[in-house]
Amino acid sequence: METLTQLGQGFALALAPANLLWAFVGVFLGTAVGVLPGIGPALTIALLLPLTFSVDATSVFIMFAGIYYGAMYGGSTTSILLNTPGESATIVTALEGNQMAKRGRAAAALATAAIGSFVAGTIGTLGITFLAPAVVDLALRFGPAEYFALMVLAFVTVSAVLGNSVVRGLTALFLGLFLGLIGVDLQTGQARLTFGVPELLDGINVIVVAVGLFAVGETLYLAIHPRGLAGQVLRVQGSMWLTRADWKRSWRPWLRGTGIGFPIGALPAGGAEIPTFLSYYVERRLTRHPEEFGKGAIEGVAGPEAANNASAAGVLVPMLALGLPTSATAAIILSAFQSYGISPGPLLLQNQPDLVWALIASLYVGNVMLLVLNLPLIGLWVRVLSIPPPLLYGGILVFATIGTYGISRSPVDLVFLYAMGAVGYLMRRYDFPTAPVIIGMILGPLAEQEFRRAMTIAQGDLMVFLTRPLSATLLALALVALFAPAIVRRLRR
Amino acid sequence: MNSRGLPEIAIGLGVVALAAVVVVSTAQLARPPAYAQVGPAVMPYAVAAGLALLGSLLLVQGFRGGWRSAAGEESGPTAASARVLWLVGGLVANALLMPWLGFILTSTLLFGATARAFGSMRPARDIAIGFAFAFAAHTGFARLLGIDLGGGVIEGLL
């Protein structure tokens, strides 16, 4: 009951005219960056982090949440019409969705994706509403040792379980941990890894790293390997209203996709790729029209799209309840909390109830806006898709400059930005995942803090992590997550 | 040895070198005060150990011919080096000229160079769009959001 009262207060804040406007700007921008291939919500939110210096926290988080949800909607449009997934989470949507579009059913594919995203997003937000307070109750009993163990588990799952290679995933994570260490150690005041460069004393700004890896790195990659740019935007044909048969074939996949996506997103593993693939697999097994799969089966769009949005909602549970980001976007939203001096974690809901509940309420509001933006106004996004690449990437690099130069007005930061861009290019080219860099950079310093706290309480006894049952269990899970994939692969041979 | 693994070997070496840099830099830290159970050097050493191990594993994979992933296969032919030079040149010029010309003019140049790198052959159009874009971005960020992008040639005229 208390939850509903607080949610009501959240709605009162989220429905204030100014905040409605912020939410609209957020979902609009989010859909746009979701539609545009090569840029995503993590980059966009990183570019907008300077807003945290001048705008009130509630408004900024309402907008960031809108961008986060909006990008999930927009990505499906690109997958369906261009067959170049706008986001990694919509790769699966392209399988059936692009086939539907080629057969003149683009409108139906877009509609089932949008309505499915709405259903999943709304159910997922309900999940956040009731699950987050429960997780907080549990987490309040955590000590530093448990927190550290939980973060280790999250490190392993985001870098080793997702992606193609454990070694490359962990290399990306450790690069992020290294970047996070640079600067003055808050406990002793000593400068670490600054190499005598005064600009490094405050640490490397996450904006520089995110924008370098995602915007500059991606632009370099596409300029050097231009094949990724090819592709023709298919026309939207057919009625945006689903036929009775389409509804009948869509609603079960929507619900199943939600059921698959939300729990996986909410686990500290996060990630939207696994649930979308899983949902596709399930729908292909359960369909009554197996002959249509591969040629544009609507179930293959409805299920994965719902799974994608539900897992995006799920990721917000550990983010809001534990301060544990499991995607690059969540990590950057977390750094926005830090920029306001708000420490994320289980106390967030107690210390900042207005902020958190307004944020959750705005997710409901944003979903409704997104349904409108993505059904009647779909023509607008088709036009965004047809921006010529030379102008698009020129614009992206200028925005990247603003995001970096605007914080410090220092050309040194521009040099860092381009160095990170070169690293981003190499990572993309040689198949290293980039999200673990951001997560390691933001979560690393927090993990170190918990580690030192735990050691201080235990008076330097490392065994504290193994004698406390919960922490030992979490660390054991991390070990399993690290080695299980390799063992399974070896057994299969 | 297979020359196919060369870039991968270089990456592995780079990661090991980074580990060495972390160790050397951390070794210069002053001794931590006695009350700190875990000093500021512990985490850097742990990260360096991780980087050294991972870099060695990458080296081993590199010597075995490297890894060819889906992303590597699909990356396709490399663009003409002239295009890449346009892009890299645009970025370098952006960092060098920013303090002298100001945000609007340097961004216009960067926009034009990037468009050229992506195959546009209409420099006049690109420069015009780039200028309008940089101008709008500068005004938008400065006026609406209060982000100061510094002075410059065009900025001084406003």
Side-chain angles (χ1 to χ4, degrees), chain B residues 11-107:
Chain B
I11 291 174
L13 280 177
V15 174
V16 174
L18 181 63
V21 168
V22 173
V23 170
V24 170
S25 171
T26 306
Q28 295 164 355
L29 284 180
R31 283 193 64 81
Y35 60 81
Q37 293 286 350
V38 179
V42 174
M43 185 75 169
Y45 281 136
V47 171
L51 285 170
L53 174 69
L54 292 163
S56 317
L57 290 173
L58 290 173
L59 266 178
V60 171
Q61 292 184 6
F63 279 116
R64 288 185 183 160
W67 56 90
R68 277 297 176 268
S69 52
E73 302 290 344
E74 77 178 27
S75 57
T78 306
S81 50
R83 287 190 175 192
V84 182
L85 277 180
W86 271 106
L87 182 56
V88 175
L91 292 175
V92 172
N94 195 45
L96 289 179
L97 298 176
M98 185 65 81
W100 313 102
L101 293 180
F103 173 80
I104 295 180
L105 276 188
T106 37
S107 293

Side-chain angles (χ1 to χ4, degrees), chain A residues 3-4 6-15 23 58 61-63 65-66 69 121-134 136 313 316-317 319-321 337 348-349 352-367:
Chain A
T3 300
L4 288 181
Q6 289 180 310
L7 183 65
Q9 288 164 353
F11 267 107
L13 266 172
L15 291 173
T58 309
F61 286 112
I62 285 177
M63 184 174 77
Y69 268 23
T122 305
I123 297 176
T125 310
L126 276 170
I128 300 172
T129 310
F130 293 100
L131 189 58
V136 167
L316 292 180
V317 173
M319 217 278 282
L320 291 173
F337 278 112
L348 180 68
L349 212 58
Q352 304 277 342
D354 289 356
L355 173 66
V356 176
W357 287 106
L359 177 85
I360 293 175
S362 81
L363 294 173
Y364 291 99
V365 178
N367 258 314

Side-chain angles (χ1 to χ4, degrees), chain A residues 363-393:
Chain A
L363 294 173
Y364 291 99
V365 178
N367 258 314
V368 177
M369 290 181 177
L370 280 163
L371 190 64
V372 177
L373 272 181
N374 283 276
L375 281 178
L377 296 179
I378 189 74
L380 179 69
W381 307 116
V382 177
R383 246 183 253 157
V384 168
L385 255 186
S386 33
I387 295 178
L391 305 181
L392 175 62
Y393 289 98

Side-chain angles (χ1 to χ4, degrees), chain A residues 111-113 115-116 119-120 242 247 250-259 302-303 306:
Chain A
T112 198
I115 301 172
V119 170
L242 293 174
W247 280 98
S250 289
W251 71 270
R252 283 195 193 88
W254 290 338
L255 295 181
R256 278 194 292 261
T258 310

Side-chain angles (χ1 to χ4, degrees), chain A residues 22 47-48 50-51 54-55 155 164-168 170-172 174-175 177-178 181 185 187-188 190-195 216 218-229 388-399 401-403 405-407 409 411 414-415 418 426 428-432 444-445 447-448 451-452 455-461, chain B residues 7-8 11 15 18 21-22 25-26 29-33 35-44 46-47 49-51 54-55 57-58 61 67-79 83-84 87-88 90-92 94-95 98-99 103 107-108 110-111 114-120 125-126 129 133-134 137-138 141 145-151:
Chain A
W22 284 105
L47 282 174
L48 290 171
L51 280 179
S54 52
V55 181
F155 282 148
N164 296 325
S165 147
V166 176
V167 175
R168 273 170 277 155
L170 285 176
T171 307
F174 272 81
L175 178 65
L177 293 176
F178 159 74
L181 281 174
D185 169 39
Q187 210 176 337
T188 58
Q190 295 202 55
R192 294 193 291 190
L193 303 173
T194 53
F195 310 105
V216 182
E218 180 76 13
T219 308
L220 281 169
Y221 183 82
L222 288 176
I224 296 171
H225 307 280
R227 193 198 281 176
L229 291 169
L391 305 181
L392 175 62
Y393 289 98
I396 289 175
L397 285 189
V398 171
F399 266 124
T401 309
I402 299 178
Y405 195 67
I407 350 170
R409 260 165 290 127
L414 285 179
V415 175
Y418 301 149
L426 286 175
R428 174 84 200 267
R429 173 69 183 82
Y430 292 100
D431 199 35
F432 288 80
E448 181 185 16
F451 178 76
R452 284 164 137 183
M455 292 299 276
T456 309
I457 296 171
Q459 305 197 324
D461 181 11
Chain B
E8 286 89 343
I11 291 174
V15 174
L18 181 63
V21 168
V22 173
S25 171
T26 306
L29 284 180
R31 283 193 64 81
Y35 60 81
Q37 293 286 350
V38 179
V42 174
M43 185 75 169
V47 171
L51 285 170
L54 292 163
L57 290 173
L58 290 173
Q61 292 184 6
W67 56 90
R68 277 297 176 268
S69 52
E73 302 290 344
E74 77 178 27
S75 57
T78 306
R83 287 190 175 192
V84 182
L87 182 56
V88 175
L91 292 175
V92 172
N94 195 45
M98 185 65 81
F103 173 80
S107 293
T108 307
L110 176 64
F111 191 100
T114 311
R116 180 68 191 254
F118 277 85
S120 167
R125 177 200 69 167
D126 297 339
I129 294 179
F133 186 76
H138 182 271
F141 273 80
L145 306 178
I147 292 168
D148 186 1
L149 288 165

